[in-house]
Amino acid sequence: MFLRPCHPGPEAPGGVIIQGQQQARAASSFPVRGLAEGLALVGMYLVAARVGLLLAAEDSHIGPVWLSSGVALGGLLLLGLSRWPAVFVGAALVALTLEMPSGVVLAIAVGSTLEAVVGAMLLRRVACSRELHRVRDVAWLGAAAGLGALMAAAMGPLGLVVAGVLPLAQWWPGAWLWWMADLLGVLLVTPPLLLLRRPRRVRAAWEMGVLPAATVAVCVGVFAFPQPGSGSAHALAFLLFPLSAWAALRFGPRGAALSSLFIAMAAIAGTARGLGPFFTAGALPQGLVVLQLFIGITALTGLLLAAARAERRQAVEVLELLATTVRAVHEGVLICEVREPGVLHTVFANEALCALVGRRREELVGAPPGALLASGDSGERLRLAEALREERSLRAEVALTRPDGTRVWSEMQLSPVRADGEAVTHFVATHRDVTATKELQARLVAAERVAAVGTLAAGVGHEINNPLAYLALNLEAAQRSLAAEGAEAPARVRDALGSVRGAQEGAERIRLIVRDLQVFSREGAPERGLVDLNALVPPAVRVVLHALRPRARLVEQFGPVPRVLGSEARLGQVLLNLLVNAMQAIPEGDPARNEVRVRTGTAPSGHARVEVEDTGGGIPPDVLPRIFDPFFTTKGSGEGTGLGLAICQQIIRTHGGELHAHSVPGQGATFTLLLPPAPVQSAGPSVSPLLRGNARGAEASPGALPGRRGRVLIVDDEPRLAQSMRLLLEPYHDVVTATGGEDALARVAGGEPFDVVLCDLQMPGMDGIAVYRRLVAEAPVLVSRVVFISGGVSSPEARAFMETVSNPVLEKPVRPDVLLSTVEATLASVAREEARGAVGATGLG
């Protein structure tokens, strides 16, 4: 090459090598800094040119490598494209030192600058990495060097020809040597510049001494002695290839770049002095071509080997990371290889999958994955086989089997893997344990079924109340009529009276059953009030008594219990659940030897106490601490959900109480319920707002007849019930019926006087609440005379209304004696009001 023209220019920042970082730095640099960097680049360019001239053949400016081209490209990549003027100045100065004509100087400077700028722009465009740790990066570096060198090789020799410095016949050989020299300059100098930073620590530090020593020894043996054309010297030169590969494989791109640069310098220096196998006397260009090929192959081989090893190391690291991640994930991962169509063999299973199916990895690897599926899942097997046949993804819930035969439900995601982009070579299946979710879903379904039964019971109870009410009232009327015959009545009358009394007892039992259902199925926000636990036990006992009789006898022990503030329905639910648990702990068949005992009393702490004790098999010590855990149960799948005791404990805790269990295996179990006493204890029995009327009626003498005839208005949308109450009351009072609120208010507005108003709470159109509010506004004297009748208050509005009024509330079906007593009590209250009014009027007179 003609060293004067061969001034390859600096190349611009290339892709990821600078990634805009150097551009941003150049743009933000102060002029002083930019000038300093430009001068430094010019200086390095001149030094590299001087070294290249020193390595040129004696009495010639021809050299195989132009180092300044590598300095130019590396400088622009590191400092930014804005430093191109430094390349131009450096190339021009080198040409001037060689006493080139001004036209040649300009051509060389422009060609060298374009060479560096075009190469840098290309590397930046393809996002080449400064680390040169990918094969594509090395390939693009070679392409950028070759393309940029074309600029310099085209303009430099052409300027020499035009100026008459170079004969036209020598233009092609000169352009070829120029291009090769600039290309090799980039391959030898640019990589060390890009990789010039703090080296990484190498584990085998001895190699850092042995490798350079071996390289120096071989280079001396090959290039330090005059042996032109020697076959043994040529063979010895091949020892440099494994040394270069050693440097690339052990020390990466940096080692490859430095090793190639050293070997090239040794080869060029020896050849330029007429030493080594590449010197050919009298045929300088041909000898240079062979030397250039040796240097180029050595440099490219080393860089490519280092990049390939770096890529492989990164791939191995990624694979190790993925493998570690897959092993550590909580979801099970199964990888299967497709060895032939439809036939899979497991090649990998992570720890989570092994734990899920209870097998070791050695048992899974090599086995067909279908062996894990439960035998009964024929449908899922068909879906899986179809997905494998069609090579598509599949998401399904499958049952996996453990060695002990138990099943585990898994949510499986099956995905095909196309390693070569076309054929499916593997399938990856991820398994997520959804056993607990499946059990939860089943238990929630059971809980919803129980809730639906409770809602149905509440509705059925409400519907039964109306016909039961007029049935009871009609039976009471018939009984009174038949009883009027006295002892002298015929036998058939006495028989009829006995039948009526039997029917009354049946109706009373139905009434109690309906009331118990309403207590335990009451919906909505539970109302809070004073609750007497002694009064709450009998309804719960009546619900379970029919199922308890074949198992055990029931013993009730009632003691003094302080009233508690709470929800009658929720506390009743707890008692009912404890009784059911006690009943289920005792097998059927020997009721005489077993018993369920319910005790009430007051604990030493002053808390209300209820104990439910059974003589069943007891609770094992290892199970006892877990009986209050949600979804924990020792019963079969059809007997319990594992929610009962957990809900009971939660209810008691919300009431500020405690629920404890004590058991001795083989001797039964005792559940103790403790509730704090209410802050204020009333004198009478504690009842809910819905039972105020019934309790008041119970206090009156059930056999007492009214002492004053009053005028009673019955408001009920059920004509038969209104008629039954009229028949019961008519012997003692004047009764008027109305089938709706509007009809009743019309009578009041018409001036009809009434002493008592029996009003149904729930009616279509205008209900009892609306009637009451209209009376407050239009006939306030009747407000205190209203007695409500309800089949069960369920809406929050009705419950809130009943909490704010003091009027009696009779719960359907109303017992006849309670109805008569309530009317009598209301009439007595009216008489007292009238008496107070008369006294007040007299005093005023």
Side-chain angles (χ1 to χ4, degrees):
M1 155 190 173
F2 299 90
L3 277 176
R4 329 174 193 180
C6 295
H7 301 172
E11 305 194 8
V16 173
I17 292 177
I18 309 177
Q19 198 80 2
Q21 175 183 358
Q22 303 298 339
Q23 270 194 331
R25 185 172 69 177
S28 62
S29 297
F30 294 106
V32 175
R33 181 177 179 178
L35 180 61
E37 290 180 346
L39 292 176
L41 182 57
V42 171
M44 290 182 63
Y45 193 95
L46 294 176
V47 171
R50 182 62 180 168
V51 173
L53 291 172
L54 291 177
L55 294 177
E58 294 180 355
D59 301 326
S60 171
H61 295 307
I62 301 174
V65 175
W66 186 239
L67 301 178
S68 297
S69 62
V71 171
L73 179 58
L76 293 190
L77 291 175
L78 295 174
L79 302 177
L81 280 171
S82 61
R83 303 297 183 264
W84 66 266
V87 179
F88 183 88
V89 172
L93 290 176
V94 172
L96 288 174
T97 59
L98 297 176
E99 301 178 354
M100 294 289 180
S102 59
V104 176
V105 171
L106 180 62
I108 291 174
V110 171
S112 299
T113 305
L114 288 176
E115 176 186 30
V117 170
V118 169
M121 292 180 63
L122 175 62
L123 292 177
R124 179 181 177 187
R125 181 64 180 270
V126 299
C128 182
S129 171
R130 173 178 174 175
E131 302 292 334
L132 298 178
H133 59 339
R134 296 175 298 181
V135 173
R136 64 178 296 273
D137 297 333
V138 177
W140 278 113
L141 177 63
L147 181 61
L150 284 178
M151 304 292 179
M155 299 189 68
L158 184 59
L160 291 173
V161 171
V162 172
V165 178
L166 181 69
L168 181 62
Q170 295 295 321
W171 178 83
W172 170 246
W176 167 260
L177 290 175
W178 196 309
W179 181 79
M180 282 290 294
D182 284 13
L183 172 64
L184 293 178
V186 171
L187 293 179
L188 291 176
V189 177
T190 301
L193 290 177
L194 295 180
L195 298 169
L196 188 62
R197 66 183 192 281
R198 185 178 180 181
R200 297 178 181 177
R201 296 183 61 183
V202 181
R203 294 180 180 178
W206 61 271
E207 293 179 285
M208 297 183 65
V210 173
L211 178 60
T215 304
V216 170
V218 175
C219 286
V220 169
V222 175
F223 302 114
F225 302 98
Q227 39 190 349
S230 169
S232 59
H234 272 284
L236 188 61
F238 281 101
L239 292 178
L240 294 172
F241 284 100
L243 294 175
S244 176
W246 184 2
L249 294 177
R250 291 298 295 161
F251 300 100
R254 184 184 298 103
L258 293 177
S259 175
S260 300
L261 180 61
F262 179 80
I263 292 172
M265 293 299 99
I268 294 170
T271 304
R273 300 296 176 266
L275 305 174
F278 300 114
F279 177 75
T280 305
L284 184 59
Q286 291 80 1
L288 284 179
V289 170
V290 176
L291 177 60
Q292 287 173 330
L293 289 176
F294 171 77
I295 295 172
I297 292 173
T298 303
L300 272 178
T301 301
L303 290 175
L304 288 173
L305 275 176
R309 182 183 180 277
E311 281 190 331
R312 182 181 181 278
R313 184 178 63 252
Q314 290 178 353
V316 170
E317 289 175 354
V318 171
L319 287 176
E320 290 178 351
L321 176 62
L322 289 176
T324 303
T325 304
V326 169
R327 292 189 188 99
V329 295
H330 296 297
E331 295 185 353
V333 178
L334 186 74
I335 302 178
C336 303
E337 181 184 5
V338 182
R339 297 187 178 177
E340 55 184 89
V343 180
L344 301 180
H345 290 272
T346 302
V347 295
F348 176 82
N350 69 344
E351 295 294 336
L353 183 68
C354 295
L356 181 64
V357 298
R359 290 178 170 86
R360 294 179 294 107
R361 182 180 288 109
E362 293 76 10
E363 300 178 58
L364 298 177
V365 174
L372 294 176
L373 296 179
S375 58
D377 283 347
S378 56
E380 294 300 336
R381 286 178 177 272
L382 292 176
R383 289 183 59 196
L384 179 59
E386 183 179 355
L388 294 176
R389 185 173 59 255
E390 298 177 359
E391 298 183 344
R392 59 176 174 83
S393 299
L394 174 66
R395 189 183 187 90
E397 287 187 356
V398 297
L400 306 178
T401 57
R402 288 172 168 266
D404 58 1
T406 58
R407 289 190 176 192
V408 178
W409 283 96
S410 166
E411 184 181 66
M412 181 188 69
Q413 175 66 55
L414 181 70
S415 303
V417 178
R418 290 175 167 84
D420 56 3
E422 296 181 3
V424 174
T425 58
H426 295 79
F427 278 93
V428 178
T430 59
H431 291 270
R432 184 168 65 91
D433 188 358
V434 294
T435 306
T437 303
K438 295 282 287 185
E439 294 178 356
L440 176 62
Q441 290 173 348
R443 289 165 179 171
L444 286 178
V445 169
E448 289 177 359
R449 187 182 301 118
V450 172
V453 171
T455 303
L456 177 64
V460 170
H462 179 73
E463 293 301 320
I464 291 176
N465 272 332
N466 281 338
L468 182 60
Y470 63 75
L471 171 63
L473 292 174
N474 285 333
L475 288 173
E476 177 68 17
Q479 189 266 344
R480 288 177 182 271
S481 177
L482 292 173
E485 297 290 334
E488 307 299 330
R492 63 179 182 275
V493 174
R494 292 194 299 270
D495 292 342
L497 181 59
S499 299
V500 169
R501 287 174 176 165
Q504 283 181 305
E505 293 177 2
E508 177 65 12
R509 289 188 61 187
I510 296 175
R511 185 188 71 82
L512 292 175
I513 292 173
V514 171
R515 180 186 178 279
D516 295 341
L517 285 175
Q518 289 178 328
V519 169
F520 295 118
S521 64
R522 194 163 295 152
E523 298 178 348
E527 69 281 354
R528 290 254 178 169
L530 288 175
V531 180
D532 183 2
L533 296 179
N534 279 340
L536 201 59
V537 170
V541 168
R542 284 194 293 268
V543 172
V544 301
L545 191 57
H546 70 287
L548 181 62
R549 286 195 181 108
R551 301 171 183 258
R553 63 185 183 276
L554 179 70
V555 179
E556 297 173 281
Q557 293 179 335
F558 294 102
V561 181
R563 299 165 192 268
V564 298
L565 183 63
S567 165
E568 181 184 46
R570 296 295 180 259
L571 294 177
Q573 178 183 352
V574 173
L575 287 174
L576 181 60
N577 194 281
L578 295 180
L579 286 169
V580 170
N581 278 354
M583 175 191 69
Q584 292 178 343
I586 301 173
E588 294 185 6
D590 196 0
R593 296 185 56 185
N594 293 296
E595 71 175 25
V596 172
R597 186 178 297 269
V598 182
R599 285 189 295 265
T600 63
T602 304
S605 61
H607 284 53
R609 181 178 62 195
V610 179
E611 293 181 350
V612 179
E613 182 181 354
D614 65 75
T615 57
I619 305 173
D622 59 326
V623 174
L624 188 61
R626 302 183 58 192
I627 60 173
F628 295 111
D629 293 345
F631 304 114
F632 176 78
T633 179
T634 57
K635 302 174 184 176
S637 59
E639 295 184 13
T641 64
L643 288 171
L645 289 176
I647 293 174
C648 288
Q649 188 180 62
Q650 182 63 28
I651 291 173
I652 297 304
R653 285 178 177 175
T654 58
H655 283 74
E658 302 174 4
L659 180 60
H660 302 291
H662 173 73
S663 177
V664 177
Q667 300 181 22
T670 302
F671 285 84
T672 303
L673 185 158
L674 296 173
L675 290 170
V680 179
Q681 300 286 326
S682 62
S686 172
V687 292
S688 73
L690 292 181
L691 303 181
R692 288 201 299 263
N694 282 351
R696 185 178 298 172
E699 292 172 2
S701 174
L705 295 179
R708 171 194 171 188
R709 192 173 186 88
R711 184 172 173 82
V712 180
L713 172 62
I714 300 175
V715 187
D716 200 302
D717 63 305
E718 181 63 50
R720 293 182 180 177
L721 179 57
Q723 182 66 13
S724 298
M725 288 190 289
R726 186 185 66 80
L727 291 175
L728 179 66
L729 296 174
E730 218 166 29
Y732 317 106
H733 306 286
D734 298 328
V735 182
V736 177
T737 61
T739 57
E742 296 85 352
D743 185 16
L745 291 174
R747 289 179 176 274
V748 172
E752 296 187 37
F754 297 104
D755 299 307
V756 182
V757 179
L758 300 175
C759 183
D760 190 10
L761 262 178
Q762 295 170 299
M763 294 184 293
M766 180 178 290
D767 58 8
I769 299 175
V771 171
Y772 180 87
R773 289 170 178 168
R774 286 281 298 276
L775 290 177
V776 171
E778 300 173 6
V781 71
L782 294 180
V783 171
S784 62
R785 305 178 184 183
V786 175
V787 177
F788 291 107
I789 302 176
S790 172
V793 180
S794 59
S795 69
E797 180 187 4
R799 281 195 295 269
F801 172 77
M802 297 312 302
E803 292 289 344
T804 60
V805 298
S806 59
N807 299 67
V809 181
L810 302 181
E811 192 175 57
K812 295 180 181 179
V814 185
R815 289 169 49 190
D817 56 338
V818 172
L819 179 62
L820 289 170
S821 300
T822 303
V823 171
E824 173 65 17
T826 305
L827 286 172
S829 177
V830 171
R832 288 192 295 270
E833 291 178 3
E834 291 175 349
R836 284 196 297 268
V839 171
T842 303
L844 287 174

